[in-house]
């Protein structure tokens, strides 16, 4: 059955788009919540008191689907005031989701370690919302689901005083069935979260930090994550597309339905199906009878001729398709009615894991140029924002990254939508630990009860994304070197294979040797830092049939724009107070040479990778700085965010960005000089100049005089060094050559006194939807417009028109000004303001930046 496509497909993926298709209504439930946080338990509930009632939620994701039964009788919590309709929540904060209750601060929250980011993530948070149901919602023909993309953490949910269910793992997505408790008119939804201290080794955020959806469907419908699409044979002339549809009947009588799937091409430029487009392939209707309370799978297969394949740019194109599955039933009058329409985006592609070549996508070798990232989006925290995520990925893609590891937990679903659209390869990671923990309250507390359900739910959610190229079942788990590592690894990998036979599994190991049990079990050898010490060779000889990659590399640490002297002559060094680290101010040198003991500079990693050409590539720790883990300043009085990023927390590029760009986009003409050239206190002193470039040769000019033309030392090196340059004010100019021809030029000039603020914005127009963001950069400049590289003037942002300043930052891990503050010191000459348009508004928003004694700057953003 073919429907006019325009009426079927509302395929916007901006995270909050609501979509109604025949038989299915999925709408955002983000608006109008009330919230209160309690630092001591306000209700005498806990996960332990609720556990027996929440565990049955896991059943859908267990092989033994009857494993858990809720105790009889009323579940705890029904007498708590916050779940009651008559509770007066007028004094609670009023907000829209996604929400991170900790991000506004204050910093140095009691009990929160440097590792966790020193923000008040802990405590119990209650959320309440009024939910209106119509007569037809409760006429007995529908199921009404509440889908959480993520809630941090130990969620428990009540509707009209009844415990509906919950899910403890804060990084997981989950569904609750509201149907039994929903009534016509007003309903009270109440969500309790309980966030422990030391529940992660990084900033986990807190609250309902991802999107929440209300899904209304016929009682017979495509189940949650109810399609599985695979493309077992792919060529340029034809692809087989297999579709398994799980039909669920929650009604109390057997239901007969026709199941059909039509496949449409997604237009790359609009990211939707072109209006009026015909299906490119269809799976003929299959009629099934689904018993009351049962699920039934329907297997279908079709061929797509001349498929447009999905693959990572620049060599390939991330083409997408959408499978539109319809269920139709015959009504009393004999006519067929569509009772559900379910859309699944997917890509047609093949992947192969070649032990000697690395990753093959559609038969073509793709070197994995990846980064690891944590979930926070800097100054806006973990509250999921589509634009913030898109901006990160765009920055990474500009650098030449083609891969992302979702360290160390399931990402927001929209991150994978973006990865699909942009052509990123994703290593999708489930856990940071198994049964043995790394910090007091991490996943080890849940492992035994929840690992099967968490892993199956995660894979079912994500397995149709073409961007996902492998599953990571764990990061540096404590069991990695013991025999238990082998047995748990085998169990988890078996689960993953049973949910998805098409992808291999990896695990990130930093200590296991080649003879340990875990590497023997796991499909792909993932090495964290071990490869940099030569372990690639020993693993490859022991496992010649397994692909190997660097699941975590480098851990280079630096503060953007902050150069410390003297500079080591080595190409990689462990930081120390005599080199690379300023322990007084907690700065780390931006020469991009320094690491903690286990790491290696990017230069060292490149050499290590090139020595072993069978290695599939790397995932650098990390793409962006993140809140928490401010190694080496995690102790008391230390810093608040990490130094590992190639890009700082505000999104400003560190010099390292250009080092990776030189390696990953070697055809892009590039030359990047460091340091800056404004050193009034260093006149006559040795001030090494380095240039990052993929050129064959680079000549450096200091105040017009050549300091020498250097050849690139070897194919793994992208750093040209003039280590004995003496500083004198003026200019640096680097001229890069390829094949004997001038290829790229870069310059640095000595700045004069700060004179003005130069204000720019990442996009001149943003959507007036209350979510889209403009990133407004402020540079402190001299009278000639040259950035004053060590300026730290306090900049004050103001916004006029229908917009709002959400947060500010400067990328300095030691800055303890609260993120929402309109006043922000520049760090190494730069500050950032994040501005959101008011919902439903058009017109223009003007952002002004002022600083004492400097000419102010301004930028105008158009809302559309
Ligand atoms: C790794 C770990 C990461 C991060 C990193 C810092 O060992 O897997 O989560 O802690 O070290 O270098």
């Amino acid at each position: 059955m073919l429907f006019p496509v325009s009426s079927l497909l509302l395929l916007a993926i901006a995270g909050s788009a609501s979509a109604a298709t025949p038989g299915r209504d999925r709408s955002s439930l983000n608006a109008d919540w009330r919230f209160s946080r309690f630092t001591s338990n306000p209700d005498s509930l806990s996960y332990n008191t609720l556990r027996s009632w929440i565990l049955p939620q896991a059943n859908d994701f267990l092989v033994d689907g009857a494993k858990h039964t809720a105790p009889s009788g009323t579940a705890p919590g029904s007498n708590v005031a916050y779940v009651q309709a008559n509770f007066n929540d007028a004094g609670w904060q009023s907000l829209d989701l996604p929400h991170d209750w900790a991000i506004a601060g204050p910093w140095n929250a009691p009990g929160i370690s440097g590792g966790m980011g020193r923000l008040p993530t802990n405590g119990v948070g209650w959320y309440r919302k009024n939910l209106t149901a119509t007569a037809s919602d409760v006429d007995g023909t529908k199921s009404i689901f509440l889908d959480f993309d993520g809630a941090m953490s130990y969620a428990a949910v009540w509707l009209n005083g009844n415990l509906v269910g919950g899910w403890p793992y804060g990084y997981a997505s989950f569904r609750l069935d509201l149907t039994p408790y929903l009534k016509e008119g007003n309903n009270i939804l109440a969500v309790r979260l309980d966030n422990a201290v030391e529940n992660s080794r990084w900033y986990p955020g807190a609250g309902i930090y991802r999107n929440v959806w209300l899904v209304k469907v016929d009682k017979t419908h495509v189940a949650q994550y109810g399609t599985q699409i695979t493309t077992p044979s792919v060529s340029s002339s034809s692809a087989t597309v297999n579709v398994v549809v799980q039909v669920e009947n929650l009604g109390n009588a057997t239901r007969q339905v026709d199941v059909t799937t039509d496949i449409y091409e997604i237009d790359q430029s609009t990211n939707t199906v072109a209006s009026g487009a015909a299906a490119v392939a269809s799976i003929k209707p299959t009629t099934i009878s689904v018993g009351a309370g049962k699920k039934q799978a329907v297997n279908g297969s079709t061929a797509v001729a001349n498929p447009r394949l999905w693959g990572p740019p620049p060599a390939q194109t991330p083409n997408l398709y959408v499978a539109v599955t319809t269920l139709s039933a015959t009504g009393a009058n004999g006519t067929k009615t569509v009772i559900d329409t379910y859309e699944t985006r997917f890509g047609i592609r093949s992947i192969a894991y070649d032990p000697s070549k690395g990753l093959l996508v559609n038969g073509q070798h793709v070197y994995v140029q990846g980064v690891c990232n944590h979930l926070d989006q800097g100054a806006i925290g973990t509250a999921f924002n589509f634009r913030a995520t898109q901006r990160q990925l765009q920055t990474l893609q500009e650098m030449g990254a083609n891969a992302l590891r979702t360290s160390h937990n399931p990402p927001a679903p929209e991150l994978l939508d973006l990865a699909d659209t942009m052509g990123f390869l994703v290593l999708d990671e489930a856990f940071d630990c198994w049964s043995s923990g790394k910090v007091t309250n991490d996943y080890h507390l849940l492992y035994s009860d929840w690992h099967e359900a968490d892993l199956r739910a995660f894979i079912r959610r994500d397995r149709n994304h073409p961007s996902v190229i492998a599953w990571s079942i764990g990061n540096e788990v404590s069991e990695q070197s013991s025999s238990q590592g082998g047995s748990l690894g085998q169990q988890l990998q078996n689960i993953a294979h049973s949910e998805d036979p098409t992808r291999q599994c990896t695990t990130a190991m930093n200590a296991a040797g080649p003879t340990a049990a875990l590497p023997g079990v796991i499909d792909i050898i993932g090495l964290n830092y071990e490869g940099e010490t030569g372990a690639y060779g020993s693993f490859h000889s022991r496992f010649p049939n397994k692909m190997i990659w660097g699941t975590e590399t480098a851990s280079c640490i630096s503060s953007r724009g902050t150069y410390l002297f003297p500079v080591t002559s080595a190409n990689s060094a462990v930081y120390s107070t005599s080199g690379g680290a300023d322990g007084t101010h907690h700065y780390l040198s931006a020469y991009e040479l320094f690491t903690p003991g286990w790491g290696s500079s990017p230069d060292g990693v490149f050499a290590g990778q090139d020595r072993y050409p069978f290695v599939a590539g790397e995932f650098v720790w990390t793409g962006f700085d993140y809140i928490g883990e401010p190694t080496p300043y995690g102790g008391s009085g230390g810093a608040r965010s990490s130094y590992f990023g190639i890009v700082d927390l505000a999104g400003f590029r560190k010099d390292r960005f250009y080092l990776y760009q030189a390696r990953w986009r070697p055809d892009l003409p590039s030359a990047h000089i460091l340091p800056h050239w404004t050193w009034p206190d260093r006149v006559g002193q040795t001030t090494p100049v380095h240039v990052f470039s993929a050129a064959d040769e680079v000549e450096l000019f200091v105040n017009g005089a050549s300091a020498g033309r250097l050849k690139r030392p070897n194919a793994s090196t992208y750093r040209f060094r003039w280590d004995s340059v003496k500083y004198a004010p003026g200019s640096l100019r680097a001229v890069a050559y390829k094949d004997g021809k001038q290829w790229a030029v870069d310059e640095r000039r000595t700045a004069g006194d700060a004179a003005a603020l130069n204000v720019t914005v990442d996009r001149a127009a943003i959507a007036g939807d209350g979510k889209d963001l403009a990133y407004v950069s402020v540079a402190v400049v001299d009278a000639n417009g040259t950035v004053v590289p060590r300026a730290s003037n306090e900049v004050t942002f103001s916004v006029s028109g229908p917009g709002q300043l959400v947060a500010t930052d400067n990328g300095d891990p030691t800055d303890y000004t609260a993120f929402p503050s309109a006043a922000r010191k520049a760090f190494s000459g730069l500050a950032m303001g994040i501005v959101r348009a008011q919902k439903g508004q058009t017109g223009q928003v003007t952002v002004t930046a002022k600083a004492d004694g400097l000419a102010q700057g301004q930028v105008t953003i158009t809302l559309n």
Side-chain angles (χ1 to χ4, degrees), residues 201-202 374 405 407-408 432 438 475-476 508 510 528-529 552 554-557 596 598-599 621-622 626 629 631 644:
R201 294 182 301 110
W202 54 87
H374 273 308
R405 171 174 174 232
S407 46
H408 300 299
D432 189 46
K438 297 181 182 173
N475 172 59
E476 296 185 356
N510 65 326
N528 285 9
Y529 313 102
E552 220 170 286
S555 271
C556 185
I557 38 183
W598 58 89
W621 191 265
T622 49
Y626 49 94
E629 212 179 36
T631 307
F644 292 112

Side-chain angles (χ1 to χ4, degrees), residues 290-595:
V290 192
K294 295 276 187 302
K295 267 190 205 160
Q296 193 167 321
V298 180
N299 294 295
S301 187
T302 187
V304 172
N306 305 315
R308 292 152 59 93
L309 305 186
W310 184 95
Q316 303 190 42
T317 309
N319 293 299
L320 292 171
Y321 289 84
V322 61
V324 181
T325 301
T326 51
L327 305 188
S328 22
T330 308
N333 58 3
T335 58
K336 291 224 177 221
T337 320
V338 173
I339 58 166
D340 194 8
T341 314
Y342 187 90
E343 296 172 358
T344 314
R345 282 179 168 238
F346 69 101
I348 297 177
R349 56 115 179 91
S350 68
I351 30 177
Y353 311 88
D354 190 309
S356 52
K357 294 195 198 114
L359 192 75
L360 307 181
V361 181
N362 302 318
Q364 289 178 38
H365 176 235
V366 179
Y367 193 67
V368 176
Q369 302 173 168
V371 302
C372 305
N373 267 349
H374 273 308
L375 75 166
D376 75 65
Q377 296 290 338
I380 62 168
T382 57
F384 177 78
N385 182 282
F386 185 83
R387 172 57 196 161
T389 307
Q390 182 186 47
R391 171 176 172 260
Q392 280 200 337
L393 294 182
Q394 286 171 341
T395 306
L396 294 170
Q397 205 161 53
E398 195 186 323
M399 181 170 72
N402 62 11
L404 188 70
R405 171 174 174 232
T406 68
S407 46
H408 300 299
N409 45 261
E414 294 86 352
L415 181 134
L416 297 180
D417 294 336
L418 275 163
D420 289 348
T421 319
M422 296 174 72
F424 270 88
L425 307 169
V426 176
L427 172 54
D428 209 1
E429 188 152 88
F431 306 120
D432 189 46
C433 69
W434 296 343
S435 63
S436 166
K438 297 181 182 173
V439 288
T440 324
N441 293 310
D442 64 13
Y443 193 75
H444 76 282
L445 299 178
L446 293 169
Y447 185 85
S448 124
D449 278 349
W450 287 91
H451 69 272
E452 183 186 348
D454 273 319
L455 188 57
R456 288 187 193 279
F458 160 64
I459 294 178
R460 281 182 212 174
R461 188 194 73 165
D462 291 353
R463 65 190 170 187
N464 293 321
H465 288 278
S467 55
V468 175
I469 46 152
W471 307 110
S472 168
I473 56 171
N475 172 59
E476 296 185 356
V477 296
S478 313
E479 300 89 342
Q480 64 182 289
S481 302
S482 69
S483 59
Q484 200 195 7
S487 54
L488 295 185
Q490 186 72 68
Q491 282 165 24
L492 293 167
Q493 182 168 272
N494 289 348
I495 291 173
H497 288 169
S498 72
E499 293 296 334
D500 175 21
T502 74
R503 292 179 183 86
Q504 292 199 351
C505 289
T506 195
T507 184
M509 297 175 288
N510 65 326
T515 56
L518 181 57
V521 159
I522 197 80
D523 299 327
I524 305 171
I525 305 288
L527 299 184
N528 285 9
Y529 313 102
E530 283 195 86
E532 292 157 27
T533 54
Y536 290 131
S538 45
F539 276 93
H540 186 61
S541 7
R542 184 161 176 100
F543 302 108
N545 298 321
K546 295 189 182 202
M547 193 177 89
I548 300 185
W549 53 14
T551 28
E552 220 170 286
T553 59
S555 271
C556 185
I557 38 183
S558 59
S559 308
R560 176 183 52 77
T562 307
Y563 307 90
L564 304 177
F565 303 93
V567 176
T568 171
S569 60
N571 262 358
S572 181
V574 175
Y575 77 88
S576 75
T577 43
S578 55
D582 170 350
T584 311
H585 301 101
H586 299 159
Y587 292 144
L588 291 156
S589 179
Y591 274 93
E592 314 292 21
L593 290 165
F594 298 95
T595 71

